[in-house]
């Protein structure tokens, strides 16, 4: 089922964003990320869009940029595109909410629609292992998170389609069929 979000930026000039929270009970620990269908009536009303995922009480943020107005398009956001808000250790295993926000770009009334929200799950041939055990001991994120995300984006650009996985979640069953395991700062 879909949802429509009104963005009355012309009539409500103090409003900085239009948002919707969608329930999303999902274990994203072994997923590549999230995907949804998106349609915006008037792109000129917005300066950008954000997708937030709440997992284990922590929010993760990823910007996205739809390409055209008034047409459905598929948005796919891999986990490495998300930045944790706050400094806690990252856990993707208890996702319960997705928030989609459109940020005011002008005094134009518009709306956007969301449909088909889902986790991106496929059997990976490549895994990038993020050193969450180190982050958890330290109590905040650091270079382990940053370089694992960079490694994922680099491998993705080369066509490897890697899965970002926390080292604390690793077990033998996840390695079945994997051809490459990258260990940045592990």
């Amino acid at each position: 089922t879909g949802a429509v979000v009104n963005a009355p930026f012309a009539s409500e000039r103090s409003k900085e964003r239009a948002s919707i929270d969608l329930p999303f009970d999902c274990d994203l620990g072994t997923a590549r990320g999230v995907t949804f269908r998106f349609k915006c009536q008037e792109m000129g009303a917005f300066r950008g869009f954000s997708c937030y995922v709440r997992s284990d009480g922590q929010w993760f943020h990823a910007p996205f940029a739809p390409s055209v107005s008034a047409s459905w398009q598929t948005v796919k956001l891999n986990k490495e595109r998300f930045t944790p808000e706050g400094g806690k250790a990252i856990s993707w295993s208890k996702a319960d909410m997705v928030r989609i926000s459109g940020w005011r770009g002008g005094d134009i009334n518009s709306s956007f629609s969301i449909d088909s929200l889902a986790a991106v799950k496929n059997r990976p041939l490549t895994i990038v292992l993020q050193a969450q055990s180190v982050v958890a001991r330290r109590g905040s994120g650091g270079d382990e998170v940053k370089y694992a995300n960079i490694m994922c984006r680099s491998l993705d650009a080369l066509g490897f389609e890697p899965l970002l996985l926390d080292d604390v979640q690793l077990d033998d069953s996840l390695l079945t069929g994997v051809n490459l395991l990258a260990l940045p700062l592990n």
Side-chain angles (χ1 to χ4, degrees):
T1 62
V4 177
V5 180
N6 290 317
F9 295 141
S11 53
E12 295 181 26
R13 295 185 186 232
S14 64
K15 194 170 184 129
E16 285 301 312
R17 73 175 174 176
S19 298
I20 187 168
D21 288 350
L22 302 166
F24 189 66
D25 186 23
C26 186
D27 179 353
L28 292 174
T30 58
R32 282 213 64 209
V34 297
T35 185
F36 52 90
R37 289 184 346 115
F38 181 87
K39 179 170 68 171
C40 177
Q41 287 310 112
E42 176 55 56
M43 294 287 289
F46 301 95
R47 73 174 185 268
F49 293 90
S50 295
C51 177
Y52 300 87
V53 175
R54 185 175 69 189
S55 182
D56 202 19
Q58 182 176 0
W59 287 98
F60 301 88
H61 168 257
F64 67 97
S67 55
V68 294
S69 289
S71 293
W72 283 104
Q73 53 200 293
T74 300
V75 175
K76 179 181 167 192
L77 299 168
N78 293 337
K79 289 188 297 191
E80 64 269 16
R81 300 228 5 236
F82 285 83
T83 305
E85 295 190 338
K88 298 187 333 184
I90 295 172
S91 171
W92 287 97
S93 61
K94 296 177 185 171
D96 65 352
M97 182 80 62
V98 169
R99 175 178 294 152
I100 306 295
S101 296
W103 297 91
R104 172 196 281 284
D107 293 336
I108 302 169
N109 289 334
S110 185
S111 66
F112 60 87
S113 301
I114 308 293
D115 196 4
S116 304
L117 176 64
V120 177
K121 294 196 176 202
N122 56 341
R123 190 73 189 144
L125 298 177
T126 303
I127 291 177
V128 174
L129 202 58
Q130 191 176 68
Q132 280 303 310
S133 59
V134 175
V135 174
R137 267 183 269 138
R138 192 173 44 243
S140 65
D143 288 341
E144 296 81 11
V145 172
K146 176 179 158 186
Y147 288 113
N149 289 345
I150 290 170
M151 176 69 73
C152 269
R153 287 192 300 270
S154 297
L155 289 170
D156 199 42
L158 293 170
F160 284 90
E161 299 185 9
L163 170 64
L164 179 64
L165 190 65
D166 299 344
D167 63 349
V168 294
Q169 292 180 303
L170 186 63
D171 67 44
D172 291 345
S173 68
L174 294 172
L175 295 176
T176 302
V178 171
N179 295 329
L180 175 64
L181 178 63
L183 305 165
L185 297 179
N186 276 262

